[in-house]
Amino acid sequence: DVKVTQSSRYLVKRTGEKVFLECVQDMDHENMFWYRQDPGLGLRLIYFSYDVKMKEKGDIPEGYSVSREKKERFSLILESASTNQTSMYLCASSLFPTGSGNSPLHFGNGTRLTVT
Amino acid sequence: DQQVKQNSPSLSVQEGRISILNCDYTNSMFDYFLWYKKYPAEGPTFLISISSIKDKNEDGRFTVFLNKSAKHLSLHIVPSQPGDSAVYFCAASAVYGGSQGNLIFGKGTKLSVKP
């Protein structure tokens, strides 16, 4: 069974801090994703990666960057945290690039980030 | 502009009855549709999917129906159980230039199944 592990369940950071959210998957999936979930807005894609050292912008990349130095690890970086980045952050992986019907996304349990 | 719409933020159903969750989409290029279920404090989990070449897919108590002409899909849960209480997300993806695009999610519908 695929396991996607996010290192922190809850984080509280101050405005302007640099924040690292870590994600590790154990199924040798090449494709990894970062989403944020906000009430009334659903899940929105921030960044994704199809391979080591490769990254692509999603729908809302502003204020974020990512790092994929190893296949199993995908990090989301908030360069200078702001209050509007308070959210639930979800990491996911999939066998094929998109998480479509024949290769669904496998999500971690999320990191609830609060920026004060 | 929302491409995947779940117009009902919440739904309440009695245990044992049918739950019907609806999803509308605008992009005729979508060729794969998925439903995810999310419990509080957990990540979404994949529930069931359907390809655009089909109009129905069934897995146990869960059935997804696709009406391409109406750009509408629905998830039926029969019989509903209290453990089905969760937020359900509809998602879709399309092929662009020969490559499958990323999933686009709806805003979710919170299902409450009352004993």
Side-chain angles (χ1 to χ4, degrees):
Chain A
D1 205 17
V2 178
K3 190 164 178 67
V4 179
T5 303
Q6 295 183 233
S7 55
S8 303
R9 293 300 302 270
Y10 301 95
L11 274 179
V12 180
K13 297 292 181 180
R14 294 195 179 273
T15 302
E17 278 193 79
K18 191 169 186 176
V19 181
F20 293 85
L21 302 183
E22 306 289 346
C23 175
V24 176
Q25 51 95 3
D26 67 356
M27 280 302 291
D28 204 35
H29 285 169
E30 292 188 349
N31 308 285
M32 297 188 73
F33 306 80
W34 275 105
Y35 287 85
R36 63 178 282 178
Q37 182 198 358
D38 300 289
L41 295 178
L43 277 70
R44 295 180 292 166
L45 182 63
I46 304 171
Y47 265 97
F48 59 100
S49 169
Y50 290 162
D51 202 352
V52 175
K53 296 192 184 295
M54 182 274 184
K55 60 185 179 184
E56 293 283 347
K57 293 180 180 179
D59 299 318
I60 51 165
E62 297 78 18
Y64 304 94
S65 63
V66 290
S67 173
R68 185 113 181 256
E69 296 295 321
K70 293 184 178 181
K71 191 174 186 178
E72 67 271 18
R73 187 179 296 271
F74 193 34
S75 303
L76 180 69
I77 304 157
L78 286 66
E79 297 291 343
S80 177
S82 62
T83 54
N84 63 10
Q85 292 178 309
T86 292
S87 186
M88 168 70 82
Y89 289 88
L90 293 160
C91 176
S93 73
S94 70
L95 184 60
F96 296 133
T98 73
S100 62
N102 57 352
S103 173
L105 294 173
H106 299 269
F107 285 89
N109 281 336
T111 296
R112 171 74 66 185
L113 173 67
T114 302
V115 182
T116 61
Chain B
D1 184 29
Q2 267 190 277
Q3 297 188 62
V4 178
K5 301 177 185 178
Q6 294 178 257
N7 291 320
S8 298
S10 63
L11 175 68
S12 184
V13 171
Q14 205 66 32
E15 181 180 7
R17 305 295 290 270
I18 184 171
S19 295
I20 300 176
L21 295 97
N22 293 305
C23 180
D24 297 296
Y25 61 95
T26 58
N27 188 344
S28 58
M29 299 297 290
F30 285 146
D31 64 342
Y32 249 118
F33 302 89
L34 300 87
W35 286 93
Y36 284 81
K37 178 171 73 173
K38 186 181 184 301
Y39 294 118
E42 293 184 15
T45 54
F46 170 70
L47 193 56
I48 192 169
S49 65
I50 188 167
S51 164
S52 61
I53 62 173
K54 296 185 175 182
D55 55 15
K56 177 182 174 181
N57 189 25
E58 193 172 351
D59 184 2
R61 296 186 297 114
F62 302 91
T63 303
V64 56
F65 295 93
L66 176 62
N67 182 335
K68 285 184 67 177
S69 61
K71 294 191 176 69
H72 176 84
L73 65 156
S74 60
L75 174 68
H76 292 213
I77 307 174
V78 183
S80 301
Q81 300 173 353
D84 296 328
S85 297
V87 176
Y88 290 79
F89 290 100
C90 173
S93 69
V95 175
Y96 298 105
S99 299
Q100 196 82 30
N102 286 310
L103 281 179
I104 297 175
F105 285 85
K107 294 183 177 181
T109 296
K110 184 176 182 180
L111 173 65
S112 300
V113 180
K114 303 200 180 302

